[in-house]
């Protein structure tokens, strides 16, 4: 599950975000505890806790004292909106800039997206 490209706590946070966006984790659903997560993935509990703390800070998870962590009610919609914005900024905007430089019209791009390769 984990690779060497980014810190494990970020990979934990991003993995949980992916599960929320995909609908695998539902709103108000309880997630594994940090200790369960650490035991399951054989990582340091402090590392798991750091990933979970980031998700709480971002409003993706919330704590119920004495019960555990749960997915925030609006987490999926907020994460999807963030990813849509990032998609346009990281993928579409650079593509359009390149298209303008090489003389590809927006209509051509739209037709290609609708019809696929010729």
């Amino acid at each position: 599950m984990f690779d060497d490209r980014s810190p494990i706590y970020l990979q934990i946070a991003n993995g949980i975000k992916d599960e929320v966006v995909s609908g695998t984790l539902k709103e108000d659903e309880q997630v594994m505890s940090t200790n369960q997560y650490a035991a399951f993935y054989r990582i340091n509990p402090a590392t798991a806790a750091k990933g979970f703390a980031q998700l709480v800070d971002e409003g993706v998870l919330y704590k119920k004292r004495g019960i555990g962590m749960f997915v925030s009610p609006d987490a999926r919609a907020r994460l999807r909106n963030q990813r849509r914005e990032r998609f346009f900024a990281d993928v579409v905007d650079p593509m359009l800039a390149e298209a303008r430089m090489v003389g590809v019209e927006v209509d051509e791009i739209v037709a290609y997206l609708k019809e696929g390769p010729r």
Side-chain angles (χ1 to χ4, degrees):
M1 165 163 190
F2 303 114
D3 60 38
D4 292 331
R5 292 181 221 166
S6 62
I8 291 175
Y9 79 93
L10 286 177
Q11 293 180 57
I12 291 167
N14 289 333
I16 291 172
K17 287 178 185 178
D18 287 346
E19 291 180 18
V20 171
V21 169
S22 72
T24 303
L25 282 174
K26 307 282 187 238
E27 295 173 346
D28 290 313
E29 182 176 341
Q30 187 171 11
V31 297
M32 282 192 282
S33 72
T34 55
N35 288 333
Q36 289 171 322
Y37 203 90
F40 185 81
Y41 289 106
R42 301 179 131 188
I43 59 172
N44 187 318
T47 301
K50 190 172 180 179
F52 278 60
Q54 179 174 330
L55 293 170
V56 170
D57 290 346
E58 293 177 11
V60 175
L61 299 180
Y62 67 94
K63 298 178 190 179
K64 284 188 181 179
R65 189 178 177 121
I67 299 174
M69 300 268 202
F70 295 80
V71 178
S72 296
D74 63 342
R76 185 169 193 238
R78 283 187 308 104
L79 288 171
R80 288 184 76 184
N81 285 338
Q82 288 172 0
R83 289 192 180 189
R84 285 176 56 90
E85 289 174 16
R86 192 172 69 223
F87 171 78
F88 282 102
D90 294 350
V91 177
V92 177
D93 292 346
M95 178 197 64
L96 289 174
E98 179 70 15
R100 286 184 190 105
M101 282 193 336
V102 299
V104 176
E105 298 293 326
V106 173
D107 293 344
E108 291 179 73
I109 296 169
V110 171
Y112 184 89
L113 292 172
K114 286 182 178 180
E115 299 165 12
R118 295 180 187 156

